[in-house]
Amino acid sequence: MSAEAMKKVLVVMRHAPYGTFYAFEGLQTLLIMGAYELDLGVAFVDDGVYVITRNQNPKALQVKQVAQTFPALPDFEVHRFYVLEDSLKERGLTLDDLVIQPQVIDRAALAALFEEHAAVLPF
Amino acid sequence: MSAEAMKKVLVVMRHAPYGTFYAFEGLQTLLIMGAYELDLGVAFVDDGVYVITRNQNPKALQVKQVAQTFPALPDFEVHRFYVLEDSLKERGLTLDDLVIQPQVIDRAALAALFEEHAAVLPF
Amino acid sequence: MRFSILVLESPYQRQAADSAYRFARAVLEKGHQIRGIFFYMNGVHNANKYQKPPGERNLGTLWTQLQQEHNLDFVACIAASTWRGMNEDLALPGFRIAGLGQLALMIQESDRLVTFGG
Amino acid sequence: MRFSILVLESPYQRQAADSAYRFARAVLEKGHQIRGIFFYMNGVHNANKYQKPPGERNLGTLWTQLQQEHNLDFVACIAASTWRGMNEDLALPGFRIAGLGQLALMIQESDRLVTFGG
Amino acid sequence: MLYTVNKSPFASPNLERCLQVAPAGSPILLYEDGVYAAAAGTAFEERLHAALQAHPIYALQSDLEARGLSNLVEGVRVITYEDFVDLVIEHNVVPWL
Amino acid sequence: MLYTVNKSPFASPNLERCLQVAPAGSPILLYEDGVYAAAAGTAFEERLHAALQAHPIYALQSDLEARGLSNLVEGVRVITYEDFVDLVIEHNVVPWL
């Protein structure tokens, strides 16, 4: 199937990791759905920006580290990454604090991004 | 057991009804625990004040109405009811909007109430 | 128009599963199609055949009736089920347990995906 | 000092059950007593014997080990269990299924009640 | 896009965040505990009134009824689940969970 | 009383509401996603700084580590689960869930 014919799906991460498992399950969704004919993107919004911060170490919680898998997502056919500028700023974060380098977008660009996608999956 | 020897337990309702089942389960707790030797109170705080508003009609949701049971709680040995004044005001509510008439307390009184209780159960 | 629905929460703790059920009913009553309903995360608990809320709607029974009336595709995520102790033996009739790929197929073959969660 | 613990959430959706487990461990490691742990609302899913998170801590196993090591009283609420499809056959060793009155007894016979929820 | 919000505005910043992103003209649907934002006389009323200048705002009837909310901020449109389906047919959904 | 908060200050008003009720001197424990309130450099830092004038504020080490938070607002005390137990022995708990 040509890229143009592929349906565009946007996973929106809005929950912080570890306190809930939404981020973990959103990640599983990205890992699997890339194998299907879908054009996948992921946007980090609100506390979702905490999903991809550096230095996460949940060893004491005995759960899997979430952030470390994101740099591998292009191998799983996930190539589009976005982060909401205001969400970074509110948390005092910059791209240097993140394990990947998403495209920094403002609110209007996020709204436009939603319009481009056939499905928005919230995690 | 004399009333003085009974342990004081405060159920704190902070969730709105129906969107979550915390209020429903807090109510079940009150209905059962009154049969044991516990001196039970219940405080409505934040969205918890919505638990006891009039005119609830969840028939279309096919779930039990929550508010209607509160007036019967004295029969189940629950006699102390409190509502946080600011929580009412923030929601534009007065005692007339409620199915029971709890004692209206301010934040300092709520904090003092916590101090008096051996256990605080959040719902 | 063809819909798919994603359910992320269990019954009886949050309203999401109830809302999803009512939305699904409304879709069908208006004569539209449902390609599938995917139960993910705690949503897999919707499939539990032993759930028995006394004197209230049994969401499991309602789901099964809906599935049977319209021959719908109900999938409980196999990974989420394994984590949470849901399996074929515990599942209500009408639910199958399968992978996230089924959600990908539902999305591909629907005009709309609507998610209900916590 | 004697503690009781109330758990209101299932494993693997929110951190509450993990936090409750770690808190309970710390209480015992410091030489204090646990009168009981009461699993209420979605907390009853902690007792599910089929839960199997691949390559991670299995909270059900951890609870059972803790119960056996210290001969603790673990109660899954019978009403919450009935609603949610939990029962004796599905429950891990060490969990008993009983009424909210058990929570009342735990409160009566403890110095502290600590609740972990959503 | 149809932006949907299911949390109380007093218990979650979701509606506020959603309103900051939704472009003028986008419809907003309040359901589950989200319908508390539609109640008249609350501390949130002024914010909702401002939002109504920019957006059609809908609230789900069965969720309003369950919660006993009948005195609503002027301009909020009460709809059924069937209307909800129609809105989703007209607009793709951004669930602001 | 020990007031405990497990939600992110950006996703929930719980910490703010809790601070409005907790009398000066009452200890506050941040755990689970509540520990994000302890991070330095955020929009919440000023609020936490003010709260620290009135309350001892604790944050759970394992939850901070999981989330990669090491640069904390000055004055926040990092504690273990065993310290959490000690706090509960000293003070009864108000869980602000």
Side-chain angles (χ1 to χ4, degrees):
Chain A
M1 198 184 283
S2 68
E4 296 93 294
M6 276 162 62
K7 211 168 236 189
K8 292 183 83 171
V9 174
L10 187 68
V11 168
V12 181
M13 302 265 181
R14 284 192 54 256
H15 290 88
Y18 309 117
T20 68
F21 288 77
Y22 286 99
F24 175 80
E25 302 277 26
L27 175 58
Q28 303 313 307
T29 303
L30 288 164
L31 289 168
I32 298 288
M33 300 224 298
Y36 291 75
E37 300 289 335
L38 293 168
D39 175 359
L40 290 169
V42 50
F44 303 92
V45 176
D46 297 344
D47 271 357
V49 302
Y50 282 134
V51 174
I52 47 169
T53 50
R54 292 187 190 278
N55 303 319
Q56 294 176 16
N57 177 14
K59 209 161 74 179
L61 308 187
Q62 297 180 261
V63 300
K64 290 194 187 75
Q65 213 253 45
V66 172
Q68 67 189 3
T69 307
F70 280 86
L73 280 179
D75 296 341
F76 293 80
E77 299 303 329
V78 182
H79 300 288
R80 295 183 293 110
F81 302 88
Y82 311 91
V83 63
L84 185 60
E85 187 174 24
D86 288 342
S87 302
L88 283 177
K89 279 188 186 161
E90 187 179 12
R91 289 159 189 78
L93 300 172
T94 68
L95 286 179
D96 289 344
D97 298 305
L98 306 181
V99 296
I100 56 173
Q101 301 294 292
Q103 184 183 340
V104 179
I105 60 176
D106 65 13
R107 289 167 179 166
L110 178 62
L113 200 63
F114 291 145
E115 296 283 350
E116 285 170 24
H117 285 78
V120 174
L121 272 78
F123 281 102
Chain B
M1 197 183 284
S2 69
E4 295 91 295
M6 278 163 61
K7 213 168 234 188
K8 293 184 81 170
V9 174
L10 187 69
V11 167
V12 181
M13 303 263 181
R14 284 191 55 255
H15 291 88
Y18 309 115
T20 68
F21 288 76
Y22 285 99
F24 175 80
E25 302 276 26
L27 175 58
Q28 303 314 306
T29 303
L30 288 164
L31 289 168
I32 297 289
M33 300 223 298
Y36 291 76
E37 300 290 334
L38 293 169
D39 175 359
L40 290 168
V42 50
F44 303 92
V45 176
D46 296 345
D47 271 357
V49 302
Y50 283 134
V51 173
I52 47 169
T53 50
R54 291 186 190 279
N55 302 320
Q56 295 176 17
N57 177 13
K59 209 160 75 180
L61 307 187
Q62 296 181 262
V63 299
K64 291 194 186 75
Q65 214 251 47
V66 173
Q68 67 188 7
T69 307
F70 280 86
L73 280 179
D75 296 341
F76 293 81
E77 298 304 328
V78 182
H79 301 286
R80 297 182 292 109
F81 301 89
Y82 312 91
V83 62
L84 185 60
E85 187 174 23
D86 288 343
S87 302
L88 283 176
K89 279 190 184 158
E90 187 179 13
R91 289 159 189 79
L93 300 172
T94 69
L95 285 178
D96 289 343
D97 298 305
L98 307 181
V99 296
I100 56 173
Q101 302 293 294
Q103 183 183 341
V104 180
I105 61 175
D106 66 11
R107 288 168 179 164
L110 178 62
L113 200 63
F114 291 145
E115 296 284 349
E116 284 171 24
H117 284 79
V120 175
L121 272 77
F123 281 103
Chain C
M1 198 171 243
R2 194 139 62 154
F3 289 76
S4 284
I5 295 173
L6 174 61
V7 181
L8 300 178
E9 288 282 350
S10 68
Y12 319 128
Q13 187 96 343
R14 292 176 171 78
Q15 202 185 337
D18 285 284
S19 299
Y21 169 76
R22 291 178 52 80
F23 184 81
R25 271 254 169 248
V27 166
L28 296 166
E29 274 162 18
K30 292 196 65 98
H32 302 292
Q33 286 185 294
I34 293 182
R35 165 59 186 83
I37 304 187
F38 195 83
F39 297 85
Y40 191 39
M41 299 183 67
N42 266 359
V44 300
H45 291 302
N46 282 275
N48 186 307
K49 72 178 176 188
Y50 297 113
Q51 62 183 289
K52 202 171 176 182
E56 290 209 14
R57 55 86 187 71
N58 181 321
L59 207 46
T61 307
L62 292 176
W63 282 124
T64 294
Q65 284 168 355
L66 190 72
Q67 191 279 329
Q68 288 174 347
E69 281 168 31
H70 299 272
N71 193 28
L72 300 177
D73 188 18
F74 281 10
V75 180
C77 174
I78 191 166
S81 293
T82 303
W83 280 69
R84 289 166 180 77
M86 171 55 53
N87 57 49
E88 301 281 2
D89 293 338
L90 303 181
L92 284 159
F95 285 84
R96 63 192 180 100
I97 297 185
L100 269 166
Q102 297 299 313
L103 175 60
L105 294 176
M106 287 181 191
I107 293 171
Q108 278 171 348
E109 297 167 10
S110 307
D111 303 296
R112 292 286 185 268
L113 175 77
V114 185
T115 304
F116 292 89
Chain D
M1 197 171 243
R2 195 141 60 154
F3 289 76
S4 284
I5 295 172
L6 174 61
V7 181
L8 300 178
E9 288 282 351
S10 68
Y12 319 129
Q13 188 95 342
R14 291 176 171 79
Q15 202 185 338
D18 285 284
S19 299
Y21 169 76
R22 291 177 53 77
F23 183 80
R25 271 253 170 250
V27 166
L28 296 166
E29 275 162 17
K30 292 196 65 100
H32 302 292
Q33 286 185 294
I34 293 182
R35 164 61 185 82
I37 304 187
F38 195 83
F39 297 86
Y40 191 38
M41 298 183 69
N42 266 359
V44 300
H45 291 301
N46 282 274
N48 185 305
K49 72 178 176 188
Y50 297 113
Q51 61 183 290
K52 204 172 176 180
E56 290 207 16
R57 54 89 188 69
N58 181 321
L59 206 48
T61 307
L62 292 176
W63 282 124
T64 294
Q65 284 168 357
L66 190 72
Q67 191 279 329
Q68 288 174 346
E69 281 169 33
H70 300 271
N71 194 27
L72 300 176
D73 188 19
F74 281 10
V75 180
C77 174
I78 191 165
S81 293
T82 303
W83 280 69
R84 289 165 180 78
M86 171 55 54
N87 57 48
E88 300 281 2
D89 293 338
L90 303 180
L92 284 159
F95 285 84
R96 63 192 182 100
I97 298 184
L100 269 167
Q102 296 300 312
L103 175 60
L105 295 177
M106 287 182 192
I107 292 171
Q108 278 171 348
E109 299 168 9
S110 307
D111 304 296
R112 292 286 185 268
L113 175 77
V114 186
T115 304
F116 293 89
Chain E
M1 309 296 284
L2 172 69
Y3 289 74
T4 63
V5 175
N6 72 339
K7 302 287 190 307
S8 159
F10 307 108
S12 161
N14 278 8
L15 176 54
E16 179 59 36
R17 300 292 166 103
C18 172
L19 288 170
Q20 289 166 1
V21 170
S26 312
I28 313 276
L29 170 66
L30 307 172
Y31 70 114
E32 299 179 0
D33 285 345
V35 299
Y36 285 113
T42 79
F44 199 78
E45 174 165 8
E46 201 173 332
R47 180 69 188 96
L48 200 80
H49 194 72
L52 278 159
Q53 310 311 305
H55 306 275
I57 297 186
Y58 303 90
L60 210 53
Q61 185 172 25
S62 51
D63 284 327
L64 289 166
E65 283 175 3
R67 292 160 182 82
L69 302 177
S70 53
N71 184 15
L72 305 183
V73 178
E74 208 184 309
V76 171
R77 308 179 201 181
V78 178
I79 64 169
T80 65
Y81 264 96
E82 300 196 349
D83 300 325
F84 181 4
V85 172
D86 283 338
L87 280 174
V88 177
I89 286 169
E90 207 178 330
H91 311 270
N92 218 327
V93 184
V94 179
W96 209 274
L97 294 179
Chain F
M1 309 296 283
L2 173 69
Y3 289 75
T4 63
V5 175
N6 72 339
K7 302 287 190 309
S8 160
F10 306 108
S12 162
N14 277 7
L15 177 52
E16 179 58 36
R17 301 291 166 104
C18 172
L19 288 170
Q20 289 167 1
V21 170
S26 312
I28 314 277
L29 171 66
L30 307 172
Y31 70 114
E32 298 178 359
D33 285 345
V35 299
Y36 286 113
T42 78
F44 199 78
E45 175 164 8
E46 202 173 330
R47 180 71 187 93
L48 200 79
H49 194 71
L52 277 159
Q53 309 311 304
H55 305 276
I57 298 185
Y58 302 90
L60 209 53
Q61 184 172 26
S62 52
D63 284 327
L64 289 166
E65 282 175 5
R67 293 159 181 82
L69 302 177
S70 52
N71 183 16
L72 304 183
V73 178
E74 209 182 310
V76 172
R77 308 179 201 182
V78 178
I79 65 169
T80 65
Y81 263 96
E82 302 196 348
D83 301 324
F84 182 2
V85 172
D86 283 339
L87 280 173
V88 177
I89 286 170
E90 208 178 329
H91 311 270
N92 218 328
V93 185
V94 179
W96 209 273
L97 293 179

